[in-house]
Amino acid sequence: AIENIDIGGPTMVRAAAKNHAHVAIVVNPARYKAVVEEMKANGGVVSDETCRDLATEAFTHTAEYDSMISAYLTGKQPKAEQGEFPDTLSLAFKKVSGLRYGENPHQGAALYAEMAPLGPSLATAPQIAGPALSFNNILDGEAAWQCVLEFDEPACVIIKHSNPCGAAVATDGAEAYKKAFDCDPVSAYGSVIAFNEAIDASCAEVMLDNFIELLLAPRFEPEALDILSKKKDLRIIEIGGTGEPFSGKDYRRVHGGLLVQEYDTDPNDRGDWKVVSTASPNDEQWDDLVFAWKIARHVKSNAIVLAKGRATVGVGAGQMSRVDSASIAVEKAGKKASGCSVASDAFFPFPDAVEKVVEAGAKAIIEPGGSKRDEEALAVCEKSGVAMVFTGRRHFRH
């Protein structure tokens, strides 16, 4: 039976939901019509099943409200008082949409957005063209977007399976795309691509011959959209701005728990870096080292990035040994490795990976340092007149 249909403050809502055996609590206006129709059809009675369903919706509603307040107040507490990671973590996410599927077609999936917005976000940005997004589209899109935000100059990042297979900065988006695509044209097929500036007609034109799964940018010029409409099944997301990368906390689900960490940020302050070799990088090599170091942070470990002219020429990602990553990067680069600069996301445990890139033609290397065999790696560089820079900071990405 029904005694009352009520919408009130959080306390009243919770009280009504607790008493759902006798009370139908409706917090969603979209449910009004269905509840009224059920009452009319059943002589003023709302079924037990409907009351339980409404109570569940009510508790979810108040939980969202409480989580938003908790998150807000936690953020206002001084770190010395609250601690950087609270003892109890309350999170509130709102469903944005269902997805075509998860990592594989047999897996269901959905996209949720944080209730407290953090600025421009892939979770809330409008999709302005193309078929529905998949779970993998969004993961790759996030990887591309976070990487391209590393740069103030016009930049393009091409992602395949969460790893950059091409990245570059240039005077405009079209040129950045061509340089990034030239790194690994084979892997760029079926990729996800992000730009940090508006896409114009000239940039759209140069992408027409490549199959692209998803394209992201702060904005798309109308002429560019007309050109890109020729590409069948191209998904386009307009982020609407750039904003700050790495805001908030990084959450990763484990069975029965949640890992929480700070995002991996890096001020890229050369004042903290140390040239440990006799040879010092020239201005061009410095530019490439800084560029490669930024990209390496977004490549799954073990990561080796070869760069020249502020564009990747070879990327080795996700291998169980650093020398294997170096071998892949060198193979991808081919003759373009000659004169390149190299970034390694962690120190070289053995000199073999250093030997691999030096033999390929590397002229400068940047790495965290800190290995027991640093001197052996440095000796390889000294023998060939290669500059080596230690940053003192590791960038594993699992």
Side-chain angles (χ1 to χ4, degrees):
I2 180 165
E3 294 185 1
N4 190 24
I5 298 179
D6 187 30
I7 297 179
T11 300
M12 294 177 64
V13 170
R14 279 190 288 265
K18 290 178 182 177
N19 198 32
H20 65 268
H22 306 288
V23 177
I25 172 68
V26 186
V27 296
N28 181 2
R31 301 290 296 269
Y32 288 174
K33 183 177 179 180
V35 173
V36 170
E37 288 178 351
E38 182 174 336
M39 291 173 65
K40 288 179 178 179
N42 297 292
V45 176
V46 180
S47 69
D48 291 344
E49 182 180 357
T50 298
C51 285
R52 282 194 299 272
D53 186 37
L54 291 170
T56 300
E57 194 168 21
F59 278 121
T60 300
H61 181 71
T62 58
E64 291 173 357
Y65 178 81
D66 290 340
S67 293
M68 291 176 66
I69 294 175
S70 174
Y72 174 79
L73 293 177
T74 297
K76 293 295 183 182
Q77 293 291 331
K79 286 187 177 180
E81 177 183 335
Q82 174 64 32
E84 198 166 346
F85 298 93
D87 293 336
T88 300
L89 183 63
S90 298
L91 302 174
F93 292 82
K94 191 78 171 180
K95 185 177 178 181
V96 174
S97 66
L99 301 174
R100 288 188 300 153
Y101 50 79
E103 285 184 288
N104 299 288
H106 63 274
Q107 295 173 263
L111 173 64
Y112 290 78
E114 290 188 78
M115 296 290 286
L118 297 172
S121 164
L122 184 59
T124 55
Q127 181 179 348
I128 59 177
L133 294 166
S134 72
F135 188 93
N136 295 337
N137 289 154
I138 294 172
L139 284 180
D140 286 346
E142 178 70 3
W145 184 242
Q146 291 291 346
C147 187
V148 83
L149 289 182
E150 293 278 2
F151 304 99
D152 296 323
E153 314 96 316
C156 172
V157 174
I158 304 174
I159 293 287
K160 198 68 173 287
H161 298 298
S162 296
N163 281 299
C165 63
V169 297
T171 55
D172 56 53
E175 185 61 27
Y177 169 78
K178 287 188 283 188
K179 291 170 65 177
F181 180 82
D182 191 51
C183 175
D184 190 352
V186 174
S187 296
Y189 179 85
S191 58
V192 169
I193 302 177
F195 293 83
N196 62 350
E197 64 169 17
I199 301 297
D200 59 17
S202 62
C203 186
E205 286 281 1
V206 299
M207 291 188 282
L208 281 179
D209 291 335
N210 184 24
F211 169 52
I212 302 169
E213 285 273 355
L214 171 63
L215 184 60
L216 306 98
R219 190 168 59 84
F220 291 81
E221 300 288 352
E223 297 84 357
L225 289 176
D226 289 341
I227 294 168
L228 293 170
S229 66
K230 301 174 185 177
K231 296 182 67 61
K232 183 181 179 182
D233 294 335
L234 171 61
R235 300 164 185 83
I236 297 177
I237 291 182
E238 189 171 71
I239 300 291
T242 51
E244 294 294 326
F246 312 113
S247 55
K249 291 287 191 291
D250 184 14
Y251 304 113
R252 301 192 193 186
R253 188 79 164 89
V254 295
H255 188 66
L258 188 71
L259 285 169
V260 184
Q261 65 173 351
E262 297 175 336
Y263 274 108
D264 179 17
T265 58
D266 193 329
N268 296 308
D269 183 0
R270 280 170 50 177
D272 294 332
W273 298 355
K274 182 179 180 182
V275 179
V276 295
S277 56
T278 302
S280 292
N282 59 34
D283 290 343
E284 183 178 352
Q285 289 166 349
W286 268 122
D287 287 343
D288 285 341
L289 287 173
V290 172
F291 171 86
W293 185 242
K294 289 180 177 181
I295 298 299
R297 184 148 56 97
H298 298 271
V299 178
K300 290 194 175 182
S301 192
N302 289 312
I304 298 291
V305 176
L306 278 56
K308 187 162 58 176
R310 293 200 298 171
T312 55
V313 294
V315 178
Q319 299 304 302
M320 284 65 78
S321 71
R322 195 155 297 276
V323 68
D324 285 345
S325 288
S327 297
I328 291 171
V330 166
E331 181 182 356
K332 292 282 187 182
K335 294 180 179 180
K336 292 181 289 184
S338 179
C340 74
S341 295
V342 179
S344 173
D345 65 335
F347 63 61
F348 294 99
F350 301 96
D352 48 6
V354 178
E355 292 169 347
K356 179 69 67 175
V357 297
V358 168
E359 288 170 4
K363 297 302 180 184
I365 298 174
I366 188 168
E367 55 135 322
S371 168
K372 292 187 293 185
R373 293 184 173 84
D374 276 347
E375 290 301 321
E376 295 178 32
L378 178 59
V380 176
C381 294
E382 295 285 52
K383 183 178 179 180
S384 301
V386 172
M388 177 168 273
V389 177
F390 285 176
T391 67
R393 180 175 290 209
R394 190 184 75 183
H395 287 303
F396 274 167
R397 180 169 177 259
H398 283 73

